[in-house]
Amino acid sequence: SPVTDASATFTYAELTDLVARFAGVLAGLGVGKGDRVVIYLPMVPEAVVALYACAAVGAMAVPVFSGFAAEAIAQRLAALTTIDAVYASPLERTRETAAPIGRALGKRVRVHRGLVECDFGQWTGKKLSDLRRRKEWATVQRYPSGFRFPGGESFPEMQQRTVTALADLVARHPGRAFVAVSHADPIKAAVAHALGTHLDLFQRIVVSPCSVTAVLFTATGPVVLAVNSTGDDLTRLVPS
């Protein structure tokens, strides 16, 4: 691994055993044929095992190889000198991602509730494989603007909340950049709004863990500079 500066050797039998064990773990979690699995690992042998295990159970693997992602994104953002502040959703996983970014930029991480994940209500914590079997799943994928999670938010409410939160942060930092660490669905919904794309099409936007999406807010409307950037030089996004 170029990240850990270490190497390891496995026999075919050892690799087969590891793959079988991890495939069993995936199956036990309800992962099966047609499911998508995000493999959030650096370049280590376990990532290869996870890829083969997904194939073994018929799932589609989505690898995210960006080093130790939170630290990697922190170093990318540290190259920008115009960042005024770092904000994060109140959920622990986003605050953990924001922490190294704050350290790299010398900024205290502030929590903004408007950046929180969609409130999935009664669906929170349910297995994706079980949710896919519900008749409402087709609505979630094809007509999200008309769907409300039982006991939770609707997609339009989530989008409006996120857009309002970003507008609030823009007003706090006029003419300056800020980092807002949020979640995939709120980010995709905000991008759709900035692009003038109907919410029913927001599922076509891809936002990977620890990727960067950059939007320039102007008096005449937002300009989307980057979506799902996982390794590009971010200094190129700074307006000349």
Side-chain angles (χ1 to χ4, degrees):
S1 168
V3 177
T4 62
D5 194 28
S7 62
T9 302
F10 297 87
T11 66
Y12 180 78
E14 289 172 335
L15 179 61
T16 301
D17 180 62
L18 288 171
V19 170
R21 288 169 182 254
F22 192 54
V25 171
L26 292 175
L29 293 172
V31 178
K33 185 176 181 180
D35 287 339
R36 288 177 293 178
V37 179
V38 175
I39 300 174
Y40 183 43
L41 288 169
M43 295 291 285
V44 292
E46 288 79 2
V48 178
V49 171
L51 284 169
Y52 281 122
C54 287
V57 299
M60 180 185 299
V62 183
V64 180
F65 295 128
S66 55
F68 291 102
E71 296 289 346
I73 195 174
Q75 294 308 311
R76 294 176 65 206
L77 290 168
L80 303 177
T81 59
T82 58
I83 294 179
D84 245 10
V86 179
Y87 294 89
S89 151
L91 297 190
E92 183 178 6
R93 61 183 184 271
T94 42
R95 289 188 285 112
E96 288 179 347
T97 299
I101 297 173
R103 288 195 298 270
L105 295 171
K107 305 290 184 182
R108 176 177 62 86
V109 177
R110 311 180 205 180
V111 170
H112 196 301
R113 297 198 61 82
L115 300 174
V116 75
E117 175 67 285
C118 182
D119 181 357
F120 298 119
Q122 296 172 17
W123 285 27
T124 301
K126 301 292 185 181
K127 292 182 179 179
L128 186 59
S129 57
D130 292 337
L131 295 176
R132 287 179 183 275
R133 298 189 185 100
R134 292 175 178 262
K135 62 180 181 181
E136 301 97 326
W137 185 254
T139 305
V140 171
Q141 296 299 310
R142 300 172 187 170
Y143 182 40
S145 65
F147 183 79
R148 174 184 295 278
F149 290 98
E153 273 185 310
S154 69
F155 280 106
E157 287 171 343
M158 177 198 71
Q159 183 183 53
Q160 185 57 53
R161 167 175 56 76
T162 307
V163 170
T164 299
L166 292 175
D168 173 53
L169 297 180
V170 169
R172 294 187 195 183
H173 306 280
R176 302 288 292 179
F178 59 86
V179 176
V181 183
S182 186
H183 308 266
D185 279 351
I187 294 172
K188 292 191 296 183
V191 170
H193 182 272
L195 290 172
T197 300
H198 198 283
L199 184 59
D200 287 341
L201 303 178
F202 96 115
Q203 300 281 25
R204 299 182 182 183
I205 300 169
V206 175
V207 171
S208 301
C210 284
S211 63
V212 172
T213 293
V215 180
L216 174 66
F217 293 90
T218 74
T220 55
V223 178
V224 178
L225 302 177
V227 177
N228 198 43
S229 170
T230 57
D232 301 333
D233 180 5
L234 297 179
T235 60
R236 298 178 181 177
L237 300 179
V238 179
S240 57

